[in-house]
Amino acid sequence: MKMAAFVVALLTFACVSVVVMNGQRTRGTGTDSHSEWVGRTLVQIESIKVGMTRKDLQRLFTAEAGFSSRQKRTYVFNECPYIKIDVEFQPATGPRESMDDKIRTISKPYLARRVLD
Amino acid sequence: MGPYSYVASWSVDSSNVSLDPTDGHTITATGDGYGDACTTADMGSQERYSWDGQNCYDDNYADPIGETDCTEVVCAVPTNFHQVGQGSDSGNGTLHFDYAWASTTGRLSDLSQCTVGEKVDYNSSDIPFPSPPFKANISPPNPTVLNVTGDLGSGQDDHSTPGPFVKPYVSKTVTATQIYRYSCPCHNSGNWETLVGPLSIVRSVSQNQDASWKFTITKSGSSATINPLP
């Protein structure tokens, strides 16, 4: 459990550091700024709702590499690819993945290594 | 068999199949084991009578009313796993593939308990990816294991490489080994069976003749490239 907490803290630090290095919104590297960034990120992630489209999702997230299906795919947060959600879709018409596919379920965000495949 | 207008009493001659309920117009037969099983719907009998010219008399013979039908319980597994079309370059050095498969029973829905997926192994010496030329600290899960449910009958696979690439560029190749595989609880105790592979996923940074550099990722004869690297 302590190890899990450490990993979460470490990855959060890594993500925040990337944002800082990229000159984006976060100021400083203290615990407060980390918390502030995570809090803001959660609000952004929670803005994605069931019934929205794949296009809506891809404003904030990028499809993760690897083997997947049109119906279920893992997405990584654009600002930090270690933050992921698993999303299930109701396919729109047509045989291939579409930006009009509707979100059916969204997992809670979680941290995991980046998949390249 | 069925449905019957009369309530039948159902039975089966093998433990390969169970019936629920055992009385009714229509019942559900579930495969519990593999092999033949004959199911009987018994609706009693009909007494046979004759006419002797003056009276109706009982022939003392009853015609059974019912039906028996036999079937074989089989384990459905994925088959004919194949690449659909050519791999394609979807930009930023990402290589995309589509795949499809079928069920040995001809019905994809029979694969609902099966899992189809991939396993990608990297050489431990390549983790993290050598930097330069790759971005620092690229450490994918090793092995990378990703699955979808078997009854979907199709999947897609994207092979990406996080950028930006790091200067000074040097020639370097990272090769991963991939298999596609399935697992069905009714087959081989649910152990994994390889469908395709091993396939090599080759990521290379190399120099062009004009001294510029390029990144190429290749699998199954298809490739995606960033040329030249910035």
Side-chain angles (χ1 to χ4, degrees):
Chain A
M1 200 63 188
K2 282 181 180 174
M3 179 58 80
F6 174 74
V7 170
V8 168
L10 190 65
L11 287 174
T12 302
F13 175 77
C15 291
V16 173
S17 299
V18 167
V19 172
V20 170
M21 283 189 287
N22 289 342
Q24 298 181 17
R25 290 179 292 266
T26 305
R27 287 162 297 176
T29 55
T31 304
D32 288 348
S33 61
H34 294 173
S35 300
E36 186 186 328
W37 183 84
V38 170
R40 200 167 50 239
T41 295
L42 276 178
V43 170
Q44 283 186 279
I45 292 173
E46 286 164 359
S47 72
I48 303 298
K49 307 284 189 191
V50 169
M52 287 181 169
T53 63
R54 196 184 294 270
K55 184 179 180 181
D56 296 325
L57 175 65
Q58 293 194 179
R59 284 186 294 108
L60 296 175
F61 288 86
T62 301
E64 186 168 58
F67 192 62
S68 66
S69 67
R70 178 180 183 178
Q71 288 84 351
K72 185 176 181 182
R73 192 153 195 188
T74 298
Y75 277 78
V76 299
F77 190 52
N78 287 341
E79 288 186 33
C80 178
Y82 297 105
I83 298 178
K84 304 184 183 191
I85 53 174
D86 296 329
V87 185
E88 291 185 1
F89 294 93
Q90 181 65 47
T93 54
R96 293 192 149 210
E97 196 171 278
S98 161
M99 288 299 123
D100 294 326
D101 292 341
K102 286 264 197 305
I103 296 173
R104 216 162 52 81
T105 67
I106 311 168
S107 75
K108 286 187 179 297
Y110 61 94
L111 300 178
R113 280 175 188 253
R114 190 167 186 182
V115 168
L116 312 181
D117 205 12
Chain B
M1 296 174 67
Y4 299 108
S5 57
Y6 186 80
V7 173
S9 179
W10 299 74
S11 61
V12 63
D13 68 353
S14 164
S15 59
N16 292 336
V17 167
S18 60
L19 307 175
D20 185 37
T22 52
D23 293 292
H25 301 279
T26 304
I27 56 103
T28 299
T30 303
D32 295 328
Y34 302 106
D36 294 328
C38 294
T39 304
T40 299
D42 180 6
M43 287 169 279
S45 59
Q46 177 176 281
E47 193 69 16
R48 188 182 293 181
Y49 291 90
S50 295
W51 175 254
D52 64 5
Q54 273 192 312
N55 298 303
C56 178
Y57 67 91
D58 189 340
D59 280 347
N60 293 318
Y61 183 84
D63 292 306
I65 305 171
E67 189 178 5
T68 297
D69 207 351
C70 297
T71 190
E72 183 184 5
V73 181
V74 297
C75 171
V77 297
T79 187
N80 190 28
F81 184 95
H82 62 282
Q83 184 181 319
V84 179
Q86 291 294 304
S88 59
D89 183 341
S90 51
N92 294 318
T94 296
L95 184 57
H96 175 89
F97 290 89
D98 291 304
Y99 294 95
W101 58 91
S103 166
T104 50
T105 61
R107 289 183 304 270
L108 276 173
S109 58
D110 291 341
L111 300 179
S112 61
Q113 302 302 309
C114 296
T115 298
V116 174
E118 64 165 352
K119 178 170 173 276
V120 179
D121 286 286
Y122 298 86
N123 293 323
S124 57
S125 58
D126 288 332
I127 303 289
F129 278 24
S131 181
F134 295 98
K135 183 179 179 179
N137 298 318
I138 295 179
S139 296
N142 191 21
T144 297
V145 173
L146 295 168
N147 303 312
V148 304
T149 54
D151 56 352
L152 293 175
S154 64
Q156 58 194 357
D157 203 356
D158 289 312
H159 305 288
S160 71
T161 308
F165 289 83
V166 176
K167 292 178 177 176
Y169 297 139
V170 292
S171 291
K172 200 67 87 172
T173 296
V174 172
T175 300
T177 303
Q178 179 185 43
I179 59 168
Y180 292 102
R181 59 186 190 167
Y182 74 86
S183 166
C184 297
C186 65
H187 177 78
N188 191 19
S189 306
N191 290 319
W192 290 102
E193 296 278 359
T194 299
L195 287 160
V196 168
L199 306 172
S200 291
I201 304 167
V202 182
R203 293 174 168 87
S204 287
V205 171
S206 60
Q207 194 164 28
N208 293 309
Q209 286 189 340
D210 66 359
S212 64
W213 291 81
K214 66 180 176 185
F215 165 73
T216 306
I217 179 168
T218 304
K219 187 183 91 167
S220 302
S222 297
S223 64
T225 187
I226 302 173
N227 189 14
L229 286 171

